[in-house]
Amino acid sequence: MKRTHYAGLVTEAELGQTVTLQGWVNKRRDLGSLIFIDLRDREGIVQIVFDDSISKDMFEVAESLRSEYVITVEGEVILRDENLVNPQLKTGKIEVKATSLTIISKAETPPFAIDQNDDISDEVRLKHRYIDLRRPKIQSTLMMRHQITSAIRRFMDQDGFIDIETPVLNKSTPEGARDYLVPSRVHDGSFYALPQSPQMFKQLLMVSGFDKYYQIVKCFRDEDLRADRQPEFTQLDVEMSFVDEEDVMDFNERLLTYVMKEVKGLDIKTPFDRMTYDEAMAQYGIDKPDTRFGMTLQDLTDFAKTTDFKVFKETAENGGLVNAIVVKDSADQYSRKDIDKLTDFVKLYKAKGLAWMKVDEGQLTGPIAKFFDEAKQQKLLTQLDATHNDLLLFVADKKEVTQTSLGQLRNHIAKQLDLIDQEQFNFLWVTDWPLLEYDEETERYHAAHHPFTSPKDSDVELLQTAPEKAYAKAYDVVLNGFELGGGSIRIHDGKVQQQMFKALGFSDEERDAQFGFLIDAFKYGTPPHGGIALGLDRLVMLLSGRSNLRDTIAFPKTANASCLMTNAPSEVSAEQLEELGIQLEDRKEK
Amino acid sequence: MKRTHYAGLVTEAELGQTVTLQGWVNKRRDLGSLIFIDLRDREGIVQIVFDDSISKDMFEVAESLRSEYVITVEGEVILRDENLVNPQLKTGKIEVKATSLTIISKAETPPFAIDQNDDISDEVRLKHRYIDLRRPKIQSTLMMRHQITSAIRRFMDQDGFIDIETPVLNKSTPEGARDYLVPSRVHDGSFYALPQSPQMFKQLLMVSGFDKYYQIVKCFRDEDLRADRQPEFTQLDVEMSFVDEEDVMDFNERLLTYVMKEVKGLDIKTPFDRMTYDEAMAQYGIDKPDTRFGMTLQDLTDFAKTTDFKVFKETAENGGLVNAIVVKDSADQYSRKDIDKLTDFVKLYKAKGLAWMKVDEGQLTGPIAKFFDEAKQQKLLTQLDATHNDLLLFVADKKEVTQTSLGQLRNHIAKQLDLIDQEQFNFLWVTDWPLLEYDEETERYHAAHHPFTSPKDSDVELLQTAPEKAYAKAYDVVLNGFELGGGSIRIHDGKVQQQMFKALGFSDEERDAQFGFLIDAFKYGTPPHGGIALGLDRLVMLLSGRSNLRDTIAFPKTANASCLMTNAPSEVSAEQLEELGIQLEDRKEK
């Protein structure tokens, strides 16, 4: 017997029809002469009813059904009694009066119930991921993931982009994060590396004249994982020729508004808001501002110089930054103890301390209030636009520390006070990034994005004189405080590319060994080009309202990069290692 | 200046308009006061003309243009003189009279010319792949690849399939081909393996209730490469629940006819022809018959028993097979020397020899003709339907050898005599495969497809009694003599799956260590399911009329799995190996 409908899609439209359904028993309820089954498939749940119109044998089979049995049911679609209508279900107005029942597969009691929502440990969920994936919340997330990728592909195809696959078995380059390596069996002592991104390949496709490229592609980083990282992740990778920053940003806005409309039914206004990297840091203390709420950083450095409060005054006079955030109408919600916790929080971001005052009927209170006379207090209140019951929080420190610690505190308090409208989707461009950043550990400059990012036209000469001052043709797109993706216009002049590698401290030999083929390629007629990469897992997470990247991935890895279901990674045979010509160090004995 | 049109798409529709084009100089011709440029972009070529209406400076810039320079040209679209119309070009009726010219990037002379078609070594092409990819033939192949994947995705989405990504970092299993391994940095002595296919994951997705899954996915095999293999290849991977063989085959016919219509504009008749594996071997001597031509294998075993020709008679009487193919009207094209070469050919396939006769005016000629009296000759001619100038070729050997050698010879001769209509697309199902095949090397049974393939319902008991006699619910789809893909209905009963592993010689421990999670999963309510995987690279190769898989891949590997452009694989640093806890054996000194 063949299925005629998905269980979850049977509605009043099928009234009176005979349907054949196949799916899982979600629940069975016995009411004496009646048995009700909730039958589940990927589209949802429908109620099946067995009554005395079927044979005694079949009724007994129905009585034997247990959760997660797989069955075939044939029956007639009938209306439910009005008082039994379930408005929660798409199928809630009808039920299927069974005329035939077959058990396809029996089921043992699963390790956790499908409709159980909480208190299942991640470990149990991941070990039995095939059960976890039955849960409607995860299933709908993966179905939304499909809708998102499908919408992206439709848009890209219509917009003239060509989907081109780039290799997974690549060459290892020491730039960037740690590579996953793959030993070669054929080439003694050699290794492939899994791609961290197809960056050079997509640039070469521009050199080849493909003009507009895209790929939804797996990338890999062998990093110590945080809660929101996976060793393999998926990105929408895009590159375009003969374009400038505006072209790439415009394309990306059209893409994202299309996806938001198709998947969420929402109209997102364009152009997206924009701010420069320096503005983002000054106002939000972070390079990916969440603009769904205010409480921006206020600069009090000039004011601080005029005060007698030593911490402020000295910081301001020694080139540091004194900033504040104003937590509106919340002073009464923060006890000293609460504020001590906020102080501990900013210390995580290297701030030496957190100063605070409260506004009480136009007066400032708190331990440091005494350092500000009436005139200063009023000036401060005016500058901060602070009113009764506001909590003022100050950091006075080195520029980066002040901005970062207050920026993080701003996000922290917004969550604490539930200031964020979860229904809002705030897209934002952060532009004009510094080209380089200084890495204190290795004591050299690193590319802020990657070494192929073009400096601003006016900053090209700086590459040879003061590269740390150069700004880049780079842009990040931010959604609700998450970096959704980033890109840049690339260097397409071999000479400039060589200057860039020099600025990054590469010797000519290192450069040629690792990137020689790209510099070579640029000799043969290279169009200006640029692009962007969007994190698909994160986009799915934000659009589906999940808080964990893992829930957007069918078979994710744990924080230590293992699969609890298959037990990957695992030991392999001596023959396999022998063929690859590698030996294991006995590290445990060290 | 922004591009207004693709060069290759400017036609009479734009007559009189001012267009801005950006692309590569394909060719420059100077005719004194006129300079002609063929400007190339991904859509094709348009002719630009510079005359004395532009400034002397600009004319000089035009004179300096060389092949592969990247330029921006603005100009007016005008009609060509009627006698200068080029019907080969989409843009052949018009040209663009330049009003402005800017050089964006200069170009050195490339290692080979873009319009050069032959005598470029594969090595040079692959080393400078970014130049090779400019060649219109390769570019159109990759654009067709995009059309094919795009059409596949449209069909799958419309048909209710959900695109779900499965992991690349997996567990190594000794079944099947050799795995590519990835050492784990975190788990001492452990390795991931790159997937040979997402087989178990897609089955688990069925256990989870996703019902219809697809993915266009990279797979990996560390095998010694033949001309038509790549270490990484791409497949369309499909799995469906509550289906039987007919459902999967029907779906696949709808998909492939859709793709053929969308991409090639061709109507392919359905249902596709079908034959069983045994029929394919008997009639074509191969499991992937090319049905674009006849010349099928004729069974003469019974006839052979009645003859006095010892080789035939003894083979037939000892359980061997005597088969012939009839090469119609071609006896005069094969000298003894030519036939000696055919004999050498069948010996590659282990045949002891090749017997032959020619038909000359109703009489058989050739060295063995004398062993057949007049009556036998006429009987043979009748049975083979052979007429004047036919060449008859015979193999008498063990069944497999006779079939395989003559099957290969059949394909060989068809190419030699150009018997194949290259415009034809013959799709074919080969069904009813044996479940197991005996591997002489390891002296045990292997799964003919993979260990998850279901036996035919009637053969389930054979698993425990005579597994070698069981047939499988397996099907391959063949196009023009190439295996395009294969699939099966899977085992969905844990007990049957355990019997299968037993038949394959697995101990319970081996089975549980490698496949325990799948057998576990089957305990919790498993729907019947099945699917198919299609080789995308091969599909592109056949539809684009290429003869090499490499030309369907943007950045392919050589036969020894290296990338000549990036020099992957390569040596990595001692620090990288140290972090992974592996050491290299010095194999060269062995």
Side-chain angles (χ1 to χ4, degrees):
Chain A
M1 263 199 305
K2 291 280 173 196
R3 176 173 62 193
T4 59
H5 295 75
Y6 278 116
L9 297 181
V10 180
T11 64
E12 307 90 276
E14 283 78 29
L15 259 191
Q17 286 182 30
T18 296
V19 296
T20 305
L21 310 176
Q22 299 186 298
W24 285 258
V25 173
N26 202 56
K27 210 180 271 176
R28 192 195 79 216
R29 276 161 300 147
D30 292 5
L31 271 78
S33 60
L34 293 177
I35 298 173
F36 292 97
I37 297 288
D38 281 351
L39 185 68
R40 189 188 71 236
D41 63 20
R42 77 174 202 200
E43 300 296 337
I45 281 176
V46 72
Q47 180 164 292
I48 316 286
V49 57
F50 297 88
D51 63 16
D52 54 13
S53 65
I54 60 167
S55 72
K56 205 177 151 233
D57 284 357
M58 201 169 283
F59 198 86
E60 272 169 18
V61 175
E63 276 180 324
S64 79
L65 293 178
R66 297 177 56 188
S67 286
E68 302 309 312
Y69 275 31
V70 180
I71 59 174
T72 302
V73 175
E74 194 187 61
E76 188 193 343
V77 182
I78 58 172
L79 275 182
R80 294 197 196 188
D81 279 353
E82 210 148 305
N83 57 336
L84 295 175
V85 163
N86 181 348
Q88 311 281 29
L89 288 182
K90 271 186 285 186
T91 63
K93 288 186 180 166
I94 58 94
E95 60 192 2
V96 175
K97 189 165 172 303
T99 52
S100 145
L101 167 66
T102 318
I103 294 175
I104 300 177
S105 297
K106 296 189 176 184
E108 295 181 11
T109 304
F112 50 90
I114 307 308
D115 49 10
Q116 185 180 347
N117 263 320
D118 303 311
D119 61 271
I120 315 162
S121 78
D122 281 352
E123 224 176 298
V124 172
R125 286 180 50 191
L126 291 174
K127 181 166 168 54
H128 303 277
R129 184 64 169 174
Y130 42 87
I131 301 291
D132 199 31
L133 286 172
R134 287 185 185 172
R135 304 198 304 145
K137 222 176 171 180
I138 305 222
Q139 219 161 72
S140 66
T141 303
L142 288 180
M143 302 208 2
M144 182 181 280
R145 186 181 178 111
H146 168 63
Q147 286 167 14
I148 291 170
T149 54
S150 174
I152 290 173
R153 292 185 186 282
R154 277 199 306 281
F155 181 89
M156 300 306 284
D157 290 357
Q158 284 162 17
D159 218 52
F161 285 85
I162 303 173
D163 179 4
I164 303 179
E165 294 178 57
T166 52
V168 175
L169 296 170
N170 285 324
K171 191 164 98 153
S172 179
T173 55
E175 267 299 293
R178 196 185 287 109
D179 282 326
Y180 276 107
L181 298 181
V182 181
S184 163
R185 181 178 52 88
V186 184
H187 304 271
D188 272 358
S190 289
F191 292 79
Y192 304 96
L194 303 184
Q196 296 183 27
S197 100
Q199 183 62 35
M200 284 192 277
F201 289 108
K202 70 176 176 176
Q203 292 193 238
L204 290 170
L205 289 170
M206 296 302 102
V207 173
S208 298
F210 280 96
D211 200 67
K212 292 169 101 178
Y213 144 93
Y214 88 99
Q215 190 182 191
I216 294 181
V217 62
K218 278 270 176 79
C219 300
F220 306 84
R221 282 186 198 164
D222 185 10
E223 293 297 321
D224 297 314
L225 303 182
R226 302 187 310 237
D228 62 344
R229 282 257 184 98
Q230 285 281 317
E232 51 183 288
F233 56 98
T234 304
Q235 68 186 35
L236 167 65
D237 197 47
V238 175
E239 197 77 2
M240 306 160 77
S241 289
F242 302 109
V243 293
D244 59 23
E245 292 153 276
E246 294 299 325
D247 295 315
V248 181
M249 287 195 274
D250 171 69
F251 143 76
N252 202 58
E253 292 186 2
R254 288 186 294 110
L255 167 68
L256 286 170
T257 49
Y258 178 82
V259 170
M260 291 302 289
K261 184 73 183 175
E262 290 283 300
V263 176
K264 302 288 290 181
L266 294 177
D267 291 299
I268 301 294
K269 83 164 176 55
T270 56
F272 296 168
D273 287 336
R274 289 191 192 185
M275 62 183 75
T276 66
Y277 172 84
D278 288 341
E279 285 166 357
M281 291 307 294
Q283 291 170 28
Y284 295 89
I286 195 166
D287 56 10
K288 37 182 184 285
D290 189 339
T291 58
R292 289 175 298 174
F293 61 96
M295 207 161 66
T296 49
L297 277 55
Q298 308 290 326
D299 187 13
L300 299 172
T301 312
D302 286 342
F303 170 78
K305 287 177 190 160
T306 70
T307 68
D308 299 324
F309 185 46
K310 210 173 135 194
V311 179
F312 282 17
K313 192 179 175 71
E314 286 183 356
T315 302
E317 284 173 347
N318 293 315
L321 212 60
V322 180
N323 276 8
I325 58 174
V326 178
V327 190
K328 295 302 291 178
D329 199 23
S330 306
D332 56 354
Q333 294 184 51
Y334 283 89
S335 67
R336 290 223 170 191
K337 222 174 182 176
D338 294 330
I339 294 175
D340 286 346
K341 281 189 193 150
L342 299 183
T343 307
D344 292 342
F345 181 86
V346 295
K347 285 182 177 165
L348 295 175
Y349 299 91
K350 298 186 190 161
K352 285 186 292 289
L354 181 70
W356 62 273
M357 291 189 273
K358 290 180 174 181
V359 188
D360 187 7
E361 307 286 354
Q363 296 300 312
L364 288 171
T365 67
I368 67 161
K370 59 177 179 258
F371 296 107
F372 303 90
D373 63 25
E374 179 62 23
K376 290 273 186 306
Q377 287 201 8
Q378 292 312 316
K379 200 168 169 206
L380 190 61
L381 288 171
T382 307
Q383 184 175 345
L384 294 179
D385 200 15
T387 52
H388 177 63
N389 200 32
D390 288 356
L391 171 66
L392 315 183
L393 298 167
F394 305 84
V395 172
D397 219 308
K398 282 190 293 185
K399 181 179 166 185
E400 294 72 24
V401 171
T402 298
Q403 289 179 340
T404 300
S405 61
L406 267 183
Q408 295 291 340
L409 184 64
R410 174 181 172 271
N411 284 342
H412 179 71
I413 289 176
K415 270 179 213 128
Q416 217 168 43
L417 297 179
D418 201 13
L419 301 181
I420 302 171
D421 176 0
Q422 299 294 342
E423 300 299 304
Q424 217 170 313
F425 288 92
N426 277 23
F427 289 92
L428 171 76
W429 286 110
V430 177
T431 63
D432 299 85
W433 289 68
L435 186 65
L436 306 179
E437 56 191 23
Y438 189 71
D439 185 55
E440 311 220 334
E441 210 175 303
T442 58
E443 292 185 344
R444 51 186 262 192
Y445 285 103
H446 277 254
H449 275 69
H450 52 59
F452 314 108
T453 303
S454 173
K456 293 273 180 189
D457 293 336
S458 54
D459 294 357
V460 173
E461 316 91 274
L462 287 176
L463 269 185
Q464 295 180 83
T465 55
E468 72 282 3
K469 290 188 184 151
Y471 281 87
K473 292 184 180 177
Y475 32 79
D476 271 14
V477 59
V478 173
L479 172 56
N480 293 352
F482 286 88
E483 180 201 332
L484 208 55
S488 62
I489 300 300
R490 326 300 182 185
I491 298 166
H492 72 279
D493 180 327
K495 284 205 195 75
V496 177
Q497 188 64 68
Q498 296 192 18
Q499 289 164 9
M500 179 70 171
F501 282 122
K502 202 161 200 173
L504 293 171
F506 277 76
S507 72
D508 290 0
E509 293 70 34
E510 287 170 339
R511 180 199 65 205
D512 288 346
Q514 293 166 36
F515 306 105
F517 63 98
L518 186 71
I519 293 170
D520 264 357
F522 282 176
K523 289 179 190 159
Y524 301 111
T526 302
H529 59 285
I532 196 163
L534 300 181
L536 185 67
D537 309 308
R538 192 163 286 165
L539 182 63
V540 174
M541 183 183 86
L542 292 170
L543 267 55
S544 63
R546 315 289 305 195
S547 56
N548 196 317
L549 279 184
R550 274 212 304 256
D551 289 339
T552 70
I553 295 168
F555 299 100
K557 300 279 193 299
T558 62
N560 69 0
S562 55
C563 171
L564 299 182
M565 185 182 70
T566 62
N567 287 327
S570 61
E571 290 182 8
V572 297
S573 68
E575 293 75 38
Q576 284 172 290
L577 296 181
E578 169 84 5
E579 278 193 303
L580 295 174
I582 62 180
Q583 290 175 330
L584 299 178
E585 275 175 31
D586 198 345
R587 292 199 286 185
K588 278 174 193 146
E589 294 192 6
K590 272 190 189 171
Chain B
M1 263 199 303
K2 290 281 171 197
R3 175 173 64 192
T4 59
H5 294 75
Y6 277 116
L9 297 181
V10 181
T11 64
E12 308 89 277
E14 282 78 28
L15 259 191
Q17 287 182 32
T18 295
V19 296
T20 304
L21 309 175
Q22 300 186 297
W24 284 258
V25 173
N26 202 55
K27 210 179 270 174
R28 192 195 78 215
R29 277 161 298 147
D30 292 4
L31 272 79
S33 61
L34 294 177
I35 297 173
F36 291 97
I37 297 288
D38 281 351
L39 185 70
R40 189 188 72 238
D41 63 20
R42 76 173 202 200
E43 299 296 337
I45 280 174
V46 72
Q47 180 165 288
I48 315 287
V49 57
F50 297 88
D51 64 16
D52 55 14
S53 66
I54 59 166
S55 71
K56 206 174 150 238
D57 284 357
M58 200 168 284
F59 197 85
E60 272 170 18
V61 175
E63 276 181 323
S64 79
L65 293 178
R66 298 177 56 189
S67 286
E68 302 310 310
Y69 274 32
V70 181
I71 59 173
T72 302
V73 174
E74 193 188 62
E76 190 194 343
V77 181
I78 58 172
L79 275 181
R80 293 197 196 189
D81 279 354
E82 211 148 305
N83 56 337
L84 295 175
V85 164
N86 182 347
Q88 311 282 29
L89 288 182
K90 269 186 287 185
T91 63
K93 288 187 178 166
I94 56 95
E95 60 192 1
V96 175
K97 189 164 172 304
T99 51
S100 144
L101 167 66
T102 317
I103 295 176
I104 300 176
S105 298
K106 296 188 174 183
E108 295 181 11
T109 305
F112 50 91
I114 307 309
D115 49 9
Q116 186 181 346
N117 264 320
D118 303 314
D119 62 89
I120 316 162
S121 78
D122 281 351
E123 223 176 299
V124 171
R125 285 180 51 190
L126 291 175
K127 182 169 167 53
H128 302 278
R129 185 64 168 173
Y130 42 87
I131 301 291
D132 199 32
L133 286 172
R134 287 185 186 172
R135 304 200 303 146
K137 224 174 168 182
I138 305 222
Q139 221 161 70
S140 66
T141 303
L142 288 181
M143 289 184 40
M144 183 181 281
R145 184 179 179 113
H146 168 64
Q147 286 166 13
I148 291 170
T149 54
S150 174
I152 290 173
R153 291 184 186 284
R154 276 199 305 281
F155 181 88
M156 301 306 284
D157 289 357
Q158 282 161 19
D159 219 50
F161 285 85
I162 303 174
D163 178 4
I164 302 180
E165 295 179 56
T166 53
V168 176
L169 296 171
N170 284 325
K171 191 165 98 155
S172 180
T173 56
E175 267 300 293
R178 198 186 286 110
D179 282 327
Y180 276 107
L181 297 181
V182 181
S184 162
R185 179 176 55 87
V186 184
H187 303 270
D188 274 357
S190 289
F191 291 77
Y192 304 96
L194 303 184
Q196 296 182 30
S197 99
Q199 183 62 34
M200 285 192 277
F201 289 108
K202 70 178 176 175
Q203 292 192 240
L204 289 171
L205 289 171
M206 296 302 103
V207 173
S208 299
F210 282 96
D211 200 68
K212 293 170 100 178
Y213 143 94
Y214 89 99
Q215 190 183 190
I216 294 181
V217 60
K218 279 269 175 78
C219 300
F220 305 85
R221 281 186 199 164
D222 186 9
E223 292 297 320
D224 298 315
L225 303 182
R226 302 186 311 236
D228 64 343
R229 281 257 186 100
Q230 285 280 318
E232 51 185 286
F233 56 98
T234 305
Q235 68 185 35
L236 167 64
D237 196 48
V238 176
E239 198 76 3
M240 305 159 78
S241 289
F242 302 110
V243 293
D244 59 22
E245 292 154 278
E246 294 299 325
D247 295 316
V248 182
M249 288 195 273
D250 170 69
F251 143 77
N252 203 59
E253 293 186 2
R254 289 185 294 110
L255 167 68
L256 287 169
T257 49
Y258 177 82
V259 170
M260 292 301 290
K261 185 71 182 174
E262 290 281 302
V263 177
K264 303 287 291 180
L266 293 177
D267 291 299
I268 302 294
K269 82 164 177 57
T270 55
F272 296 168
D273 287 337
R274 289 190 192 186
M275 62 183 74
T276 65
Y277 171 84
D278 289 340
E279 286 166 357
M281 291 308 295
Q283 293 169 29
Y284 295 89
I286 194 166
D287 56 10
K288 37 181 185 280
D290 190 340
T291 58
R292 290 174 299 174
F293 61 96
M295 207 161 65
T296 50
L297 277 56
Q298 309 290 329
D299 187 12
L300 299 173
T301 312
D302 287 341
F303 169 79
K305 288 178 188 159
T306 70
T307 68
D308 299 326
F309 184 48
K310 209 173 135 194
V311 179
F312 282 16
K313 192 178 173 70
E314 287 183 354
T315 301
E317 283 173 348
N318 292 313
L321 212 59
V322 181
N323 277 7
I325 58 174
V326 179
V327 190
K328 295 301 291 178
D329 198 22
S330 306
D332 56 354
Q333 294 185 52
Y334 283 88
S335 67
R336 291 223 174 193
K337 223 177 185 173
D338 295 330
I339 294 175
D340 286 347
K341 280 189 194 150
L342 300 183
T343 306
D344 292 343
F345 181 87
V346 294
K347 284 182 178 168
L348 295 176
Y349 299 92
K350 299 187 189 160
K352 287 187 290 287
L354 181 71
W356 61 274
M357 291 190 272
K358 291 179 173 181
V359 188
D360 187 6
E361 306 287 357
Q363 295 300 311
L364 289 171
T365 67
I368 68 163
K370 59 177 180 260
F371 296 107
F372 303 89
D373 63 25
E374 178 63 20
K376 290 274 186 302
Q377 287 202 5
Q378 291 313 314
K379 202 168 166 202
L380 191 61
L381 288 172
T382 307
Q383 186 175 342
L384 294 179
D385 200 13
T387 53
H388 177 64
N389 200 31
D390 288 354
L391 172 66
L392 315 183
L393 298 168
F394 305 83
V395 172
D397 219 308
K398 282 188 294 185
K399 179 180 168 186
E400 294 73 24
V401 171
T402 299
Q403 289 179 340
T404 299
S405 60
L406 268 182
Q408 295 291 341
L409 185 64
R410 173 181 172 273
N411 284 342
H412 180 70
I413 290 176
K415 270 180 212 126
Q416 217 167 44
L417 298 178
D418 200 14
L419 300 180
I420 302 171
D421 177 0
Q422 298 294 343
E423 301 298 303
Q424 218 171 311
F425 289 92
N426 277 25
F427 289 91
L428 171 77
W429 286 110
V430 176
T431 64
D432 298 85
W433 289 68
L435 187 66
L436 305 178
E437 57 192 23
Y438 190 71
D439 184 56
E440 311 220 332
E441 210 175 304
T442 58
E443 291 184 343
R444 51 187 262 191
Y445 286 103
H446 277 255
H449 275 70
H450 53 58
F452 314 109
T453 303
S454 174
K456 293 273 181 191
D457 292 337
S458 55
D459 293 358
V460 172
E461 316 89 275
L462 288 176
L463 268 185
Q464 295 180 82
T465 55
E468 71 282 4
K469 291 188 184 152
Y471 282 86
K473 294 185 179 176
Y475 32 80
D476 271 14
V477 60
V478 174
L479 171 56
N480 293 351
F482 286 89
E483 181 203 332
L484 207 55
S488 62
I489 300 300
R490 327 299 182 187
I491 297 167
H492 72 279
D493 180 327
K495 285 207 193 72
V496 178
Q497 188 64 67
Q498 296 193 17
Q499 289 165 9
M500 179 69 171
F501 283 122
K502 203 162 202 171
L504 293 171
F506 278 77
S507 72
D508 290 359
E509 292 71 33
E510 287 169 340
R511 179 199 66 202
D512 289 343
Q514 292 165 36
F515 306 105
F517 63 98
L518 186 71
I519 293 171
D520 264 356
F522 283 176
K523 289 178 190 160
Y524 301 111
T526 304
H529 59 285
I532 196 163
L534 299 181
L536 184 67
D537 309 309
R538 192 163 285 164
L539 182 64
V540 174
M541 184 184 86
L542 292 169
L543 267 56
S544 62
R546 316 289 307 194
S547 56
N548 194 319
L549 279 184
R550 275 212 302 257
D551 289 340
T552 71
I553 295 169
F555 299 99
K557 300 281 193 300
T558 63
N560 70 359
S562 54
C563 171
L564 299 182
M565 184 180 72
T566 61
N567 288 326
S570 62
E571 291 182 8
V572 296
S573 68
E575 292 76 36
Q576 283 173 292
L577 297 181
E578 168 85 6
E579 278 194 304
L580 296 173
I582 61 179
Q583 290 174 332
L584 300 178
E585 273 176 32
D586 199 346
R587 293 198 286 184
K588 278 171 193 151
E589 293 190 7
K590 271 192 193 171

